[in-house]
Amino acid sequence: MKKTKIQKSKFSRLVYQLQNYWKLGWLDNKARYAKTYLGEVWIALSVVLLSSVLGLIYGDIFGSTIDGDIKYFSYLALGITLWNCIADSMALGSRFIIESASQILNTTYSLKSLFLRKFFYICQNLFIGLASILFVILIVNKDLIGNYVQLFLPLSVFLVFNLLIIIYFSLIGCLIRDFAEIVPLVTTIIFLGSPILYPASRLDNFAWIANVNIPYRVLDIVRSAILTGEVNYLKCVLILIAGLILLLFTFAYLEKNRTKIALWCD
Amino acid sequence: MTELDNASLYLYSMTSKGVNIKKELVKIVGKSLNLRFSNKVEKSNPSKILILKNINVFINKGDRIGLIGANGSGKSTILKLISGIYKPSIGQMKGDYFYPMIIRDLNVSDDLAGIDAAKAFFYQHGLGLLGYDLDWFVSKIEETCSIGDYFLRPIKYYSEGMRTRLIFSLLTSVRLSENLAIDEGFGTGDKKFALQAEEKLRSFLGSEGSLLLASHSNDLLRQFCKRGWVMKGGRLIFDGPLEKAFSFYDSKAYLTA
């Protein structure tokens, strides 16, 4: 039966709406794995399988431990899991407005709701992949469990960065059609050029490659927090605040120019 | 009550390829070499197109308006303007927005079932905040769309009629607005559904709800509307009783307007 109207504060309404977008993102994940035998288990399985296979191959080259006592498998698995999230954000973002143009131009759905739905879809993939990898890492390296508790802040920075990627890549993608074609190439180059597969210490004179590589640096904030327990709280808070402010302005701009943006890809 | 006060709408459009990197590079290189550009390259700039011109209308509570006009006359665009999808570039819109029933999209992948589409509708519109219960909503949709077991099967197996039933049920099960803007009726459906839809729409609108219905079917317009707007080239050239609007549309006055 229909319930009576509920009075909620602004904050609880916001939380409720975010929960709704999360559920919409989950429906997209459900659709992606519809008719597969393992369903969403594939998210976890694919990351663990990829990390194990690459770990076996590259572990032979770089050794089973790097930079002291960090297990190479843990370093690689976390790198791949986090990188997959960034690469997904870039790829999905670059086509997002083009693919959603019909919805934007024919419904009153806010752009914010459409972006957050896609963002949560990516978050869910990250959380399942990361949870399974963190579980495997615990088996390999039990000492790291203490580092897990301080993951919240670095992970928040990482997620806000991904949401910004989705939004800005989608805007560039609808202005420049060639962009969506370039993105897979760029993500592959960044992946191979960043110390994700190999230890950062191997870069020697080319350390600047990692320093100017913003996606890698954001990735490394989370990876370092787990592997070394090092979290620069001040840096994280400042980046997070800057990211959230940018996000608020971006959402305000998007809503103001909703129609214009959709028509860019007309 | 809704009013469009001298509203005009410009849309900004690009070429079908948007900004093309190749063309932009040619431009940059060409400029550095002092080359002249052909008009073809210059045309890739965003262009401002006047879509609706000086629309002045007043919609009272309970008005049922049929939109008449050839393809490209601006019928769908005015529906989008009144629904708040577009904002007037010049002039203003005052009063209540209309709820758009323009897109025949279920907001979920065709690999998901009707029940998932119902959930997606519930989440997207935040119906929980309006006091609705998810289980109540889903069972209401299941009951009203009357597609039986198909409600739990993937949408890709639905016939066009089943799809229409589901969409119509979703859009009319909860009153998101008293006013509706509908483009081209409800799509395909059998006679029984057409009757149900008519009855449902009438009770949905009640006596206070307003309707804007764009269609090329005079029968459909007669079924629901009393007032008619005739559109041509983005202008509203006739506003009056529906039958007079039909006559105007078929007259020489329309051709010369």
Side-chain angles (χ1 to χ4, degrees):
Chain A
M1 228 183 107
K2 191 189 153 183
K3 286 180 181 170
T4 49
K5 202 167 182 173
I6 310 157
Q7 293 294 328
K8 287 188 172 182
S9 68
K10 263 190 174 179
F11 179 73
S12 49
R13 288 174 78 89
L14 176 72
V15 172
Y16 181 81
Q17 271 311 95
L18 290 176
Q19 283 174 349
N20 281 342
Y21 302 147
W22 174 272
K23 287 169 187 168
L24 284 167
W26 187 250
L27 284 175
D28 292 339
N29 258 316
K30 194 177 163 186
R32 181 179 167 187
Y33 295 101
K35 284 207 153 185
T36 59
Y37 286 109
L38 296 178
E40 289 84 356
V41 175
W42 272 116
I43 303 171
L45 205 59
S46 58
V47 182
V48 174
L49 279 175
L50 183 65
S51 306
S52 305
V53 173
L54 289 180
L56 271 175
I57 299 166
Y58 288 97
D60 216 32
I61 302 167
F62 300 118
S64 59
T65 56
I66 55 163
D67 298 339
D69 57 350
I70 295 170
K71 300 270 189 244
Y72 176 68
F73 171 80
S74 311
Y75 180 86
L76 175 78
L78 282 170
I80 287 176
T81 309
L82 296 166
W83 179 255
N84 278 349
C85 181
I86 294 176
D88 280 353
S89 300
M90 288 177 172
L92 287 170
S94 64
R95 294 184 183 277
F96 184 65
I97 293 183
I98 296 168
E99 286 171 358
S100 311
S102 165
Q103 261 190 335
I104 300 167
L105 289 173
N106 292 295
T107 67
T108 45
Y109 301 164
S110 66
L111 276 180
K112 188 172 60 188
S113 77
L114 300 175
F115 275 115
L116 286 173
R117 173 180 180 163
K118 193 55 78 184
F119 169 65
F120 285 136
Y121 164 81
I122 285 173
C123 284
Q124 286 154 7
N125 281 281
L126 172 72
F127 291 157
I128 296 173
L130 198 59
S132 52
I133 283 300
L134 289 178
F135 178 73
V136 177
I137 287 174
L138 266 191
I139 300 168
V140 183
N141 202 340
K142 280 178 193 161
D143 309 342
L144 297 181
I145 192 161
N147 297 344
Y148 288 10
V149 288
Q150 49 188 5
L151 199 54
F152 180 75
L153 198 55
L155 198 58
S156 303
V157 171
F158 183 79
L159 292 175
V160 169
F161 176 73
N162 275 278
L163 180 52
L164 286 168
I165 284 182
I166 297 172
I167 297 171
Y168 282 97
F169 271 51
S170 71
L171 292 175
I172 302 169
C174 83
L175 269 175
I176 307 170
R177 286 296 171 98
D178 306 66
F179 188 66
E181 307 305 320
I182 299 167
V183 165
L185 181 74
V186 172
T187 47
T188 310
I189 292 170
I190 300 176
F191 174 69
L192 294 174
S194 313
I196 295 170
L197 282 177
Y198 55 89
S201 53
R202 296 270 178 139
L203 280 170
D204 292 329
N205 293 335
F206 292 98
W208 60 269
I209 293 177
N211 292 336
V212 296
N213 187 339
I214 296 169
Y216 165 73
R217 290 186 69 174
V218 177
L219 177 155
D220 202 47
I221 292 175
V222 183
R223 184 160 68 175
S224 299
I226 298 169
L227 296 179
T228 63
E230 284 171 17
V231 179
N232 186 336
Y233 286 101
L234 182 65
K235 190 174 142 191
C236 283
V237 169
L238 288 176
I239 297 174
L240 190 61
I241 291 171
L244 288 172
I245 291 171
L246 181 60
L247 207 54
L248 286 176
F249 277 109
T250 308
F251 276 141
Y253 172 82
L254 289 175
E255 291 312 329
K256 199 177 167 194
N257 295 285
R258 188 180 184 281
T259 314
K260 209 187 268 186
I261 290 164
L263 285 163
W264 283 348
C265 49
D266 184 24
Chain B
M1 202 179 71
T2 306
E3 186 186 358
L4 284 176
D5 182 12
N6 211 17
S8 294
L9 179 71
Y10 286 98
L11 294 182
Y12 298 82
S13 190
M14 301 250 186
T15 60
S16 59
K17 285 183 179 170
V19 178
N20 187 297
I21 285 181
K22 190 172 79 187
K23 283 181 184 171
E24 293 305 312
L25 281 175
V26 169
K27 257 189 192 179
I28 293 163
V29 174
K31 262 183 191 168
S32 64
L33 296 173
N34 276 334
L35 295 177
R36 279 184 159 272
F37 295 102
S38 67
N39 287 335
K40 213 176 163 187
V41 176
E42 292 298 327
K43 273 179 189 169
S44 66
N45 288 333
S47 51
K48 199 175 169 186
I49 307 159
L50 185 60
I51 303 289
L52 292 176
K53 297 168 200 166
N54 306 327
I55 309 282
N56 284 294
V57 281
F58 199 88
I59 306 168
N60 293 305
K61 275 192 171 179
D63 271 356
R64 311 287 156 91
I65 304 164
L67 265 74
I68 305 161
N71 289 330
S73 58
K75 299 191 297 292
S76 300
T77 313
I78 203 168
L79 289 183
K80 289 179 187 179
L81 189 72
I82 279 174
S83 307
I85 295 171
Y86 294 154
K87 303 265 182 293
S89 314
I90 301 169
Q92 54 181 323
M93 185 184 147
K94 297 171 197 165
D96 306 322
Y97 284 112
F98 279 58
Y99 182 78
M101 290 169 72
I102 294 170
I103 193 172
R104 312 259 178 279
D105 177 43
L106 285 162
N107 198 20
V108 287
S109 159
D110 276 4
D111 282 318
L112 296 181
I115 185 172
D116 297 311
K119 286 178 184 172
F121 187 90
F122 187 92
Y123 301 142
Q124 183 71 54
H125 291 87
L127 295 184
L129 285 174
L130 301 174
Y132 293 99
D133 175 71
L134 178 64
D135 294 333
W136 170 84
F137 181 76
V138 169
S139 41
K140 186 171 183 192
I141 297 298
E142 184 177 12
E143 186 191 318
T144 51
C145 71
S146 315
I147 55 172
D149 290 345
Y150 275 90
F151 191 61
L152 302 173
R153 291 186 193 164
I155 295 161
K156 63 184 172 190
Y157 300 129
Y158 288 15
S159 67
E160 203 51 46
M162 286 175 178
R163 223 184 149 88
T164 305
R165 279 169 176 267
L166 181 59
I167 293 169
F168 187 77
S169 298
L170 287 171
L171 294 171
T172 56
S173 286
V174 170
R175 185 179 280 214
L176 291 164
S177 164
E178 281 196 329
N179 311 315
L180 289 181
I182 306 178
D183 201 3
E184 295 299 343
F186 322 114
T188 37
D190 52 32
K191 220 173 184 179
K192 193 181 161 196
F193 170 70
L195 287 170
Q196 278 176 349
E198 186 185 338
E199 196 185 317
K200 179 86 190 167
L201 193 63
R202 283 190 199 287
S203 69
F204 183 85
L205 289 165
S207 56
E208 296 286 288
S210 306
L211 173 72
L212 264 179
L213 175 59
S215 177
H216 292 289
S217 161
N218 290 3
D219 290 340
L220 185 71
L221 293 174
R222 278 194 182 100
Q223 215 174 334
F224 290 102
C225 308
K226 293 272 178 270
R227 184 174 160 190
W229 289 356
V230 181
M231 303 285 301
K232 189 180 179 186
R235 288 171 302 135
L236 179 65
I237 55 170
F238 181 91
D239 180 5
L242 185 68
E243 289 305 326
K244 283 193 177 173
F246 286 139
S247 309
F248 179 83
Y249 185 52
D250 294 328
S251 69
K252 272 189 179 175
Y254 171 79
L255 296 172
T256 53

